[in-house]
Amino acid sequence: MVSPFTQHLGTNYCPLDDEVLEIRSLLAEPTRQLLVLDEEISQLQKSIEKLTEKRKTLSGYIEEHRALISPIRRIPQDVLSEIFFACLPTHRNCVMTTSEAPLLLGRVCSSWRTLSLSTPRLWASLHITQPGGSGASNESITQRFEAMKMWLRRSGQCPLSISVYTSYMHRSREAPMSTQARPLPVDLFLKELSFHAKRWQHVSFSTTSAAFKALAHLSAADVPILESITARLPPPCPPHEVTEWTQFGMFSGPRISKFLTSASCFSPSIPLRWHLLTRLEIVGSIWESCVDSEGALEVLIRCPQLQRFKLTAKGTADPVPLRHPPVELPHLRSLELDVGPHSHLLSHLRTPGLRRFVLRGPVESLPSFLSLCPHLEKLDVGSYLTKSSLLESLRVLSPALRSLVLRGHAPPPDDAPMVPFDDEALAALGRRSCCPLLEEFTLIATHTISDQALRQFVETRMTMTDDVGASSLKQVRVLFHRPMDLDIKTGLKPFLDAGLNIETVYTFKSQALFSPWSGVADAPRRSMVPVYHAAPSHWYD
């Protein structure tokens, strides 16, 4: 539409009085046309609404009849039960929540609910959290307790996998007096579970020492099919009130082969059938651990069938080597150690079949230990080593090694010692004679490796495929505690196109920036603390 005021449209122009009259006259006809269009649109919208309602009715009719012939309705009950079972979590026990199977399955329809309730093995796995803390009341604890009993009834006679977590702050000081009058016992859940002990297959208890005593009456005969048991109890408080493990006869179960416990409460007096163990974990804070190298060797010598061992051992002030004879573990395949200063544990272990080794802490005998592990495939080291010890360790690495993880530390302000993995060590790892089958390399927290050296390392390893029996790298991950010097992927495109995955993360101290608020009383506060970022979570999988 042509307008004599086109040049003024969209501007701040203020028309004169005679121009205002002209504009009003100009808008009379467009305003009438607009009203006509609005009326036509209204009529069309009413027609669309009628058609939409007809479509909704017809669509509902079709969908309701299609639902009758849905394939899911024709699946046999036994097959549907298998599908239900596949919905359960595999990495932990089932949680009492309607957002997960099996409770979620019963909320779909009445037939699914009937089937789920009549399939006992869906209810043979359970994680129990005993309510505690400021939100706990007798009513909430009773509700959870009754739900647990109902869950166990649904499991029929199936072997049970149970995990229990009890809050250490069982009763709140802020709770109303009505909930404090007759508090429920802390061992309420464990007492009920003990009635089903003959069906225990895998059990885990993270609870208080007082609650755990509810299981003291169980004997080996009461747990005939128990295969694994976890007992994580808090440190003794006061320290002299240690757990009397000898009174727990259930640890002598005839089929127990896996035992996991806290390093703060472990005792070699636990009445396990040690010679049957294939997996043993004694873990926790190194500062609270009550296990030293000597005690660990005394335990290991009783476990000739051990296949997996994980230990947190305290250090000693005495650097004198142990006098304990070497311990032979011919079946050990996985070893994880977190040790304190002056630990001589490695020098007393013989693990010829070891496949996976994880080490944390200062160890001086690493090269000699690695030289006795000819079949090692995965190595994860995060400890303080001398330069010579590190180079010697790289030299004696198993030719079967496929995965190597080296963990350094963010450089502290005082430049404390750290794993001295630098360009020279990286070049040593790049030699053709070193780890010819290496496929995965991860270096976490380093500022001593140059980008150029890393690129050269990748190029060298990727060209080793020309050697008979050698493998090329498939994955490289490096976390730098410094800015980037150059993009190492430049020049590596042929290898990246061939499937090589390279992940590099560069982090460094936060810098204090100029602020226009400087000197102003209400200036926003800025962090001046050096900040380092951790490696992405998937690097630790």
Side-chain angles (χ1 to χ4, degrees):
M1 298 178 66
V2 180
S3 170
F5 298 94
T6 301
Q7 61 180 340
H8 301 304
L9 299 178
T11 70
N12 292 329
Y13 176 73
C14 182
L16 301 175
D17 292 344
D18 56 342
E19 290 177 326
V20 171
L21 296 176
E22 185 179 355
I23 292 173
R24 288 176 177 172
S25 176
L26 180 67
L27 295 179
E29 179 59 23
T31 301
R32 186 191 64 79
Q33 294 179 9
L34 182 62
L35 293 175
V36 173
L37 290 175
D38 286 343
E39 181 63 25
E40 292 180 3
I41 291 173
S42 177
Q43 294 298 326
L44 290 175
Q45 285 179 338
K46 291 179 180 180
S47 299
I48 291 175
E49 290 175 358
K50 291 181 180 180
L51 293 175
T52 301
E53 186 63 28
K54 287 183 179 181
R55 186 189 184 284
K56 182 179 179 181
T57 303
L58 187 60
S59 176
Y61 179 85
I62 293 173
E63 292 302 322
E64 288 175 350
H65 285 77
R66 281 180 176 174
L68 295 176
I69 59 174
S70 174
I72 193 67
R73 293 175 181 257
R74 303 174 62 84
I75 294 179
Q77 296 288 285
D78 55 342
V79 176
L80 191 58
S81 295
E82 291 296 330
I83 295 175
F84 283 3
F85 188 72
C87 294
L88 301 181
T90 57
H91 61 289
R92 56 167 170 78
N93 291 326
C94 297
V95 179
M96 287 191 284
T97 173
T98 56
S99 62
E100 285 188 4
L103 288 177
L104 178 61
L105 300 172
R107 297 171 67 90
V108 175
C109 62
S110 59
S111 61
W112 279 29
R113 176 175 174 79
T114 300
L115 179 60
S116 64
L117 294 180
S118 60
T119 307
R121 63 176 181 153
L122 292 178
W123 310 92
S125 165
L126 175 61
H127 174 74
I128 305 163
T129 300
Q130 181 170 343
S134 59
S137 64
N138 281 354
E139 290 75 18
S140 63
I141 295 176
T142 301
Q143 289 177 359
R144 184 62 57 89
F145 179 69
E146 293 300 325
M148 180 194 73
K149 292 200 298 182
M150 179 180 64
W151 193 294
L152 293 174
R153 286 195 300 269
R154 293 174 180 176
S155 67
Q157 295 301 314
C158 291
L160 295 174
S161 178
I162 303 290
S163 53
V164 179
Y165 175 81
T166 304
S167 173
Y168 297 161
M169 293 296 294
H170 178 68
R171 185 58 55 193
S172 169
R173 294 180 179 179
E174 293 82 11
M177 182 61 67
S178 59
T179 64
Q180 292 281 340
R182 299 180 60 186
L184 295 174
V186 295
D187 56 4
L188 179 68
F189 288 74
L190 296 190
K191 283 184 176 180
E192 179 65 25
L193 286 174
S194 66
F195 299 144
H196 304 268
K198 289 190 179 298
R199 295 196 289 133
W200 289 358
Q201 186 174 28
H202 307 284
V203 292
S204 174
F205 304 104
S206 297
T207 185
T208 63
S209 300
F212 194 67
K213 291 179 180 179
L215 306 177
H217 68 283
L218 297 177
S219 65
D222 294 321
V223 288
I225 66 171
L226 185 59
E227 297 178 5
S228 67
I229 182 170
T230 298
R232 295 190 177 95
L233 308 183
C237 185
H240 66 272
E241 291 186 359
V242 297
T243 303
E244 293 293 338
W245 291 107
T246 54
Q247 63 180 319
F248 294 92
M250 66 178 181
F251 286 109
S252 299
R255 297 179 59 181
I256 296 178
S257 61
K258 301 176 183 178
F259 178 59
L260 293 75
T261 191
S262 306
S264 59
C265 65
F266 175 78
S267 170
S269 65
I270 299 175
L272 290 161
R273 303 190 185 195
W274 298 94
H275 64 284
L276 297 180
L277 291 185
T278 60
R279 179 181 177 184
L280 176 60
E281 293 189 11
I282 309 170
V283 297
S285 169
I286 196 170
W287 311 111
E288 296 179 346
S289 176
C290 62
V291 186
D292 56 15
S293 297
E294 185 77 32
L297 291 172
E298 290 295 336
V299 170
L300 290 175
I301 202 171
R302 301 157 64 185
C303 306
Q305 301 299 321
L306 210 57
Q307 298 177 12
R308 296 178 60 183
F309 180 52
K310 187 174 182 179
L311 171 69
T312 300
K314 64 181 179 181
T316 62
D318 188 0
V320 178
L322 304 176
R323 297 182 179 181
H324 198 285
V327 176
E328 184 84 15
L329 297 172
H331 303 288
L332 195 67
R333 296 295 181 267
S334 177
L335 175 62
E336 296 185 45
L337 298 178
D338 187 359
V339 296
H342 305 306
S343 172
H344 301 280
L345 187 60
L346 282 185
S347 60
H348 290 72
L349 291 181
R350 301 295 181 266
T351 57
L354 194 64
R355 299 293 194 273
R356 175 178 176 269
F357 180 39
V358 179
L359 175 64
R360 305 284 182 269
V363 175
E364 301 175 357
S365 54
L366 182 60
S368 58
F369 175 78
L370 293 176
S371 66
L372 300 177
C373 302
H375 304 291
L376 192 65
E377 297 177 356
K378 296 183 178 181
L379 176 63
D380 186 333
V381 179
S383 61
Y384 294 95
L385 300 171
T386 63
K387 183 65 172 292
S388 59
S389 178
L390 175 64
L391 293 175
E392 180 64 16
S393 297
L394 295 177
R395 188 184 69 81
V396 300
L397 280 177
S398 164
L401 195 74
R402 295 183 178 275
S403 175
L404 175 61
V405 179
L406 297 174
R407 303 177 187 271
H409 307 273
D414 57 355
D415 294 326
M418 67 185 68
V419 177
F421 198 85
D422 54 14
D423 288 357
E424 180 184 357
L426 189 61
L429 184 61
R431 291 196 302 263
R432 293 181 179 270
S433 60
C434 183
C435 309
L437 300 182
L438 187 66
E439 296 179 347
E440 299 178 0
F441 175 64
T442 302
L443 182 59
I444 296 177
T446 179
H447 69 291
T448 55
I449 295 289
S450 67
D451 293 329
Q452 182 62 38
L454 180 59
R455 184 166 65 181
Q456 181 62 43
F457 165 76
V458 173
E459 291 177 345
T460 302
R461 298 297 310 193
M462 292 303 292
T463 57
M464 289 178 58
T465 53
D466 299 335
D467 300 343
V468 178
S471 299
S472 61
L473 287 173
K474 295 181 179 179
Q475 182 172 272
V476 176
R477 294 170 170 171
V478 183
L479 172 64
F480 291 99
H481 279 316
R482 60 168 178 78
M484 177 192 294
D485 292 330
L486 62 88
D487 186 357
I488 70 166
K489 295 183 180 180
T490 303
L492 300 179
K493 189 175 186 302
F495 305 127
L496 297 174
D497 293 341
L500 174 63
N501 178 39
I502 297 180
E503 296 181 54
T504 54
V505 178
Y506 294 85
T507 65
F508 47 92
K509 294 180 180 180
S510 61
Q511 301 295 323
L513 302 177
F514 168 78
S515 172
W517 284 276
S518 297
V520 178
D522 59 346
R525 302 185 64 180
R526 302 175 65 89
S527 174
M528 303 292 288
V529 180
V531 175
Y532 289 94
H533 299 279
S537 59
H538 67 275
W539 287 22
Y540 298 95
D541 294 341

